[in-house]
Amino acid sequence: MSVIDVAERKGRYRAASFYFFSVMSLLTLWLSMARPQSDFLRGMWMGLTFAAAVNLLPLARWLKPRSKVARLLDDDGVREHRRISCNAGFWAAVVSSLAVAIAVQATAPLSPFDAVRIVATAAIAAAMVSFATLELRAARG
C-alpha cells in the first residue's frame, strides 16, 4: 500500500469520525440537559467536545513533521477545508448565541453553563460536519 493510499484511507476515517464526534457531542448535550444533576453526562459532554475541538487541529503534522502521511493529511486543500469549517463554526456560534439570548429573554430557564454549552456544541458540531463534508467531497472528486 502506497503512502497516498494510506493518507486517503486515514482521511476518510478522519471524516467519518468527525461525523461521529459531532453526533455524540449533540447527543450528550441533549442527555445532560435532560438530566441536569448527572455529573457523569456533563463530564462526558466536556470530554467529547474537547476531543472534537482537538481533532480539528493538525496534530499529526505537529507531532510528526517529517511523516509523509502527515504531510498529505495537511496539504493546502485540507488547510482550506479547515479554514472554511472554522468559519462555519464561527457562524454557528453567532447564530446559536443569538438564539439563546432570545430564548432567555422570553424567560426560559437556562443556566449560564447550559447556554455556553449550547453555543460551544453548535460551533464544534458545525465545524466538524463542514470539515468532514468537504473532505469526503474532495476524496470523491
Side-chain angles (χ1 to χ4, degrees):
M1 187 177 284
S2 73
V3 174
I4 294 172
D5 294 332
V6 171
E8 285 179 357
R9 184 176 46 87
K10 285 187 175 191
R12 284 190 302 274
Y13 173 76
R14 177 178 58 186
S17 70
F18 281 8
Y19 283 127
F20 173 77
F21 269 117
S22 63
V23 167
M24 290 305 294
S25 291
L26 291 166
L27 183 63
T28 55
L29 174 69
W30 178 70
L31 287 172
S32 65
M33 288 184 74
R35 295 179 163 227
Q37 57 278 65
S38 176
D39 290 336
F40 174 76
L41 288 173
R42 283 179 159 195
M44 177 86 91
W45 171 84
M46 188 78 68
L48 279 170
T49 303
F50 180 74
V54 168
N55 275 318
L56 281 170
L57 299 172
L59 286 179
R61 182 81 163 127
W62 293 346
L63 297 176
K64 302 175 193 175
R66 298 186 192 278
S67 169
K68 291 180 182 179
V69 174
R71 284 190 206 139
L72 287 172
L73 288 172
D74 192 38
D75 64 357
D76 290 337
V78 173
R79 279 188 230 124
E80 182 65 15
H81 294 162
R82 191 174 286 118
R83 186 190 65 76
I84 292 168
S85 69
C86 287
N87 193 7
F90 167 77
W91 285 109
V94 168
V95 169
S96 63
S97 63
L98 290 172
V100 167
I102 291 168
V104 170
Q105 185 180 17
T107 66
L110 192 63
S111 72
F113 182 66
D114 285 341
V116 169
R117 291 187 323 144
I118 290 169
V119 173
T121 303
I124 291 295
M128 294 192 86
V129 167
S130 173
F131 185 81
T133 303
L134 290 168
E135 283 292 292
L136 289 175
R137 193 177 297 156
R140 276 189 238 139

